[in-house]
Amino acid sequence: EPEGTILLTGDQVVVHEGVILEKPEGLEEARRLIQGYVPGAPCGTVGSCVLTDLSTGRQVAGVDKTEIHFNPIPEDIVDTLLEEGAVLNCAGGLMIEHPLVQPFIERITGDIDSVMGLSSRLTLRLLKELQSE
């Protein structure tokens, strides 16, 4: 491999009440998941990132966690989200970027890009760490 070639690998899961959530298998499961995001029961994401220097084989790894606190999402909003169907493509039916969902997010602990899939802060920290060794 050419000097300086870095391979980035990563993954993310959505966690709610101690359970790892996958993409909903159908509309009823999506409804149940979305309705479960209520005050006092935040969901979260856990993302991992591994950087590998392909010329040396050296690796660094890290994990980033977030918490998303919701206010109740009204039934008509849930119905619209389900009609659109995009929630079926997201782990836990979680679409914080959706304009209909955003008004019901009380707060996010952590970085939005981490919720969306890859923490830029973690990735940059790992890159600096890999380059400094």
Side-chain angles (χ1 to χ4, degrees):
E1 292 298 318
E3 178 103 11
T5 301
I6 307 285
L7 173 67
L8 183 152
T9 54
D11 200 4
Q12 180 196 54
V13 296
V14 173
V15 179
H16 186 241
E17 297 185 318
V19 177
I20 294 175
L21 303 178
E22 301 291 338
K23 293 176 184 173
E25 292 186 15
L27 294 176
E28 285 310 308
E29 182 180 11
R31 178 181 300 281
R32 183 181 52 77
L33 292 172
I34 295 167
Q35 289 174 333
Y37 302 141
V38 296
C43 66
T45 62
V46 180
S48 62
C49 180
V50 179
L51 297 180
T52 305
D53 183 327
L54 295 179
S55 60
T56 65
R58 221 171 47 234
Q59 289 186 327
V60 292
V63 172
D64 190 68
K65 297 179 182 180
T66 67
E67 258 190 10
I68 304 105
H69 298 260
F70 285 94
N71 290 313
I73 301 173
E75 196 68 29
D76 63 321
I77 300 294
V78 175
D79 290 342
T80 301
L81 292 168
L82 295 173
E83 286 171 19
E84 291 177 359
V87 294
L88 297 174
N89 299 318
C90 302
L94 185 63
M95 290 187 67
I96 65 161
E97 71 279 12
H98 196 291
L100 292 177
V101 174
Q102 289 180 352
F104 304 100
I105 297 172
E106 179 184 318
R107 73 179 183 282
I108 297 173
T109 305
D111 296 327
I112 190 84
D113 59 344
S114 188
V115 176
M116 300 296 292
L118 181 66
S119 168
S120 58
R121 186 179 352 178
L122 173 62
T123 303
L124 290 172
R125 180 179 62 78
L126 293 174
L127 186 57
K128 288 177 185 175
E129 185 180 328
L130 185 65
Q131 293 173 335
S132 70
E133 291 182 359

